[in-house]
Amino acid sequence: MPGRITPRRPGPHRRSGRPRAAALGTALALVLVPALSACGGDAASANGAATLKWTSTYFPAHWDPVVSGSGAQFRELALVYASLTRTDATGKAVPDLAESWEYNDRGDRITFRLRPGLKFSDGEPVNAAAVKAAVERAQKQKNSALFGDLTSIESVEAKGLDAVVHLNQVDYQIPQLLGQRVLQIASPKAAAAPGKLDQNPVGAGPFVVTQLVPGTKAVLRKNPDYWDAENIHIDNVELTSAPDASTVVSGLRTGVYNFADVEPSQADAAEKAGLDVFVQPGFNASNISLNVNKAPFDDDRVVDAVRYAVNRQEFVDKLTFGHGEATNQPFPRGYVAYDPKSEDAYPYDPEKARKLLAEAGHKAGDIKLDLVVPAEDPQAEIVQSQLAAVGITVDIKIDKNWATPFFAKDLTFSLYGTTGRDSAVQTLTAHFGPDGPLNLSSPYRPDGFEAAVAEVRRTPLDAPAYPEVLRSATRAGLESRALVFTYSSPNLIAKSKSISDLPKNPAHIDWTGVTIDGKGATP
């Protein structure tokens, strides 16, 4: 779990060195080339190159990292974009494009020193000006999904290879904040036309995109100019949008793919097929999102009725096949930010839910809600059934463009699942902060939350008081009436046994040091 980032010392502190596992960023070549074979056999090309054939249910709808935000698809975009920092197997921030960083004495300014001689795949230099442009675009671009994560940053000053980040408050979590999830850095030249970048990504990481079929397929080759290219042993990548979940295992078995994220329902079949099935550590959590600025959730009694109506174990039993767990928090048990004092604060009690609705003046059937989701989702059906049991009628509405009204805070009632954040404070502010992208009720925030988070930011991660200070902020956030957490699902991966084990970096998929034996022969 996350260790300290940069401790507060009497004098400036410098964090430097070479990470044991490099970032998943990537670069792009704009020249289209014929797609590599994605059919059967092993993962070797005609010249003996090792090819990763990854099919993903999170194939990016957007390749502009500012638009994609820090959702699950950041793992795939990390085949294109590198970041200032990344996290290791303990969750601690380590160098990536930045080789070191240093705070000032007050903790309200941090200077990132970039590695010399790096360039984006379009030939533009990777320098402090590129960092400045990336931060400003994430803060100001109209369709940015990241602005709510960057509220501590006042400005960035570019001095050659030194990116000086000026903060509006003391914040020792910035190195973790500016990692892969929130600041995958694009070439400023390419990003000047965000629409084109969305279809032609230009980064500075271990691979280069050579062909992109929107929504369907991306073909990449190893980037010889990546700063840690010597530790990237995969020559080519074929990334495809996963077909129906039931066909993924057969595709893995026959060699159409050699790596895939799989549904819990398919885990047993994958193991029986001789595949390597494992759980990549993560911070996944699903929730019911309520907009307390709109009726009927502007009444606390209705919100509490929903809380008591939720049977979390039903989500686990029906959706994770025993691989997940019930939770009322955005953090897993055992993680430093998990608050035991808040556990089971609103236990399943449908009778109490019905009583609260009656106290609010609602008879059974009075409240009728549209639950807006982007696609068919069994979670929605469970919510519909559980709320019907206490007298709330739910109509499930599918809106493929759901993200637009959700991030505009125009919806009343929805569902959301996240992969968490590398910084616990970032997770908290994303969910509960007044500008949090996952807070459907913005600018609402629970009383005392911002003060609690500010105290966490001021506390070095290695301070003895840090765990309790952080858990107090979690406790304050969970007073929010805008989110009802339900369950966590695992990051289940199935792969050919010819692919070596991946680094266990929480929530990340890291290809550093990974090899494909026998040029990727399938089991």
Side-chain angles (χ1 to χ4, degrees):
M1 294 303 169
R4 69 180 175 86
I5 302 173
T6 46
R8 192 175 185 180
R9 305 280 189 194
H13 172 73
R14 179 172 291 274
R15 172 74 170 89
S16 63
R18 181 185 183 86
R20 292 184 302 174
L24 297 182
T26 63
L28 159 91
L30 296 176
V31 179
L32 297 181
V33 301
L36 298 173
S37 170
C39 302
D42 64 20
S45 67
N47 62 0
T51 298
L52 173 73
K53 297 188 289 188
W54 177 7
T55 189
S56 173
T57 56
Y58 301 106
F59 191 92
H62 298 281
W63 288 83
D64 179 352
V66 163
V67 179
S68 286
S70 50
Q73 65 275 11
F74 88 90
R75 301 183 185 107
E76 285 77 10
L77 267 67
L79 289 170
V80 181
Y81 300 102
S83 306
L84 284 173
T85 66
R86 57 187 319 282
T87 54
D88 65 11
T90 70
K92 184 175 68 174
V94 293
D96 192 16
L97 292 179
E99 63 181 6
S100 64
W101 50 87
E102 182 180 9
Y103 272 100
N104 66 347
D105 291 345
R106 293 181 55 184
D108 61 359
R109 187 178 72 238
I110 179 172
T111 300
F112 290 92
R113 178 71 177 180
L114 296 170
R115 300 177 187 276
L118 300 184
K119 61 182 179 181
F120 296 100
S121 59
D122 61 357
E124 292 294 302
V126 177
N127 54 23
V131 176
K132 175 180 172 67
V135 171
E136 292 179 350
R137 195 166 70 88
Q139 289 178 323
K140 299 175 183 179
Q141 187 166 302
K142 186 176 181 181
N143 59 350
S144 172
L146 301 178
F147 67 91
D149 293 318
L150 301 173
T151 55
S152 285
I153 297 179
E154 185 69 29
S155 63
V156 179
E157 185 180 0
K159 296 182 176 181
L161 293 177
D162 288 344
V164 184
V165 181
H166 297 270
L167 308 176
N168 52 33
Q169 58 186 317
V170 175
D171 192 344
Y172 285 99
Q173 303 219 354
I174 295 300
Q176 291 198 213
L177 174 71
L178 299 184
Q180 289 180 5
R181 293 167 177 267
V182 169
L183 200 69
Q184 295 176 322
I185 300 176
S187 162
K189 181 179 178 181
K196 291 182 179 179
L197 179 71
D198 208 25
Q199 301 302 321
N200 294 288
V202 182
F207 297 97
V208 174
V209 172
T210 57
Q211 185 184 57
L212 178 60
V213 181
T216 303
K217 182 177 183 178
V219 181
L220 308 94
R221 61 173 171 78
K222 179 178 175 179
N223 177 15
D225 294 322
Y226 177 53
W227 73 267
D228 199 26
E230 65 179 348
N231 289 313
I232 300 297
H233 307 304
I234 295 170
D235 301 302
N236 302 298
V237 178
E238 297 174 9
L239 176 68
T240 56
S241 179
D244 182 82
S246 62
T247 68
V248 170
V249 173
S250 63
L252 286 162
R253 187 176 61 249
T254 59
V256 175
Y257 321 115
N258 57 12
F259 189 91
D261 47 275
V262 294
E263 298 293 333
S265 61
Q266 301 298 311
D268 289 344
E271 287 181 342
K272 290 176 181 177
L275 297 161
D276 183 8
V277 180
F278 62 97
V279 174
Q280 190 74 355
F283 309 114
N284 301 335
S286 294
N287 67 67
I288 302 169
S289 293
L290 314 177
N291 192 332
V292 302
N293 301 311
K294 298 178 181 289
F297 300 123
D298 54 352
D299 188 323
D300 288 356
R301 293 167 295 186
V302 175
V303 171
D304 285 347
V306 172
R307 285 168 160 166
Y308 285 113
V310 171
N311 179 2
R312 293 174 173 83
Q313 192 59 42
E314 184 177 359
F315 290 88
V316 175
D317 294 342
K318 291 184 175 179
L319 302 179
T320 76
F321 294 80
H323 293 282
E325 64 177 24
T327 187
N328 69 336
Q329 304 186 32
F331 304 112
R333 287 180 180 85
Y335 180 51
V336 64
Y338 184 87
D339 180 44
K341 294 180 181 179
S342 298
E343 188 171 326
D344 209 26
Y346 292 88
Y348 177 51
D349 191 340
E351 182 57 38
K352 189 167 186 176
R354 286 188 284 268
K355 182 179 178 181
L356 284 165
L357 291 172
E359 290 177 358
H362 299 291
K363 295 179 295 189
D366 281 356
I367 297 178
K368 296 180 173 60
L369 296 170
D370 287 339
L371 178 59
V372 182
V373 293
E376 290 186 10
D377 188 343
Q379 289 185 78
E381 296 175 6
I382 293 174
V383 171
Q384 183 185 52
S385 174
Q386 292 184 358
L387 293 190
V390 300
I392 297 175
T393 301
V394 173
D395 188 14
I396 300 171
K397 301 286 188 182
I398 295 176
D399 180 359
K400 293 181 179 180
N401 296 315
W402 156 93
T404 299
F406 185 95
F407 289 118
K409 320 301 181 184
D410 289 335
L411 299 181
T412 299
F413 188 37
S414 190
L415 301 176
Y416 204 103
T418 73
T419 57
R421 301 294 197 271
D422 295 315
S423 161
V425 166
Q426 186 188 357
T427 296
L428 290 170
T429 56
H431 284 96
F432 308 121
D435 298 314
L438 310 184
N439 178 7
L440 186 58
S441 295
S442 295
Y444 159 79
R445 77 281 193 191
D447 292 340
F449 173 72
E450 290 181 288
V453 166
E455 182 64 21
V456 179
R457 296 185 195 276
R458 290 191 294 266
T459 305
L461 271 69
D462 60 348
Y466 180 78
E468 182 52 41
V469 171
L470 179 56
R471 287 192 285 268
S472 294
T474 298
R475 200 173 310 135
L478 291 173
E479 292 296 321
S480 172
R481 295 181 289 117
L483 297 106
V484 180
F485 288 91
T486 53
Y487 77 106
S488 63
S489 57
N491 295 319
L492 276 174
I493 304 294
K495 67 177 179 65
S496 161
K497 290 183 178 178
S498 63
I499 298 178
S500 65
D501 291 342
L502 275 67
K504 292 289 186 179
N505 299 8
H508 294 253
I509 296 180
D510 184 355
W511 301 108
T512 305
V514 176
T515 60
I516 303 179
D517 293 338
K519 299 300 185 290
T522 55

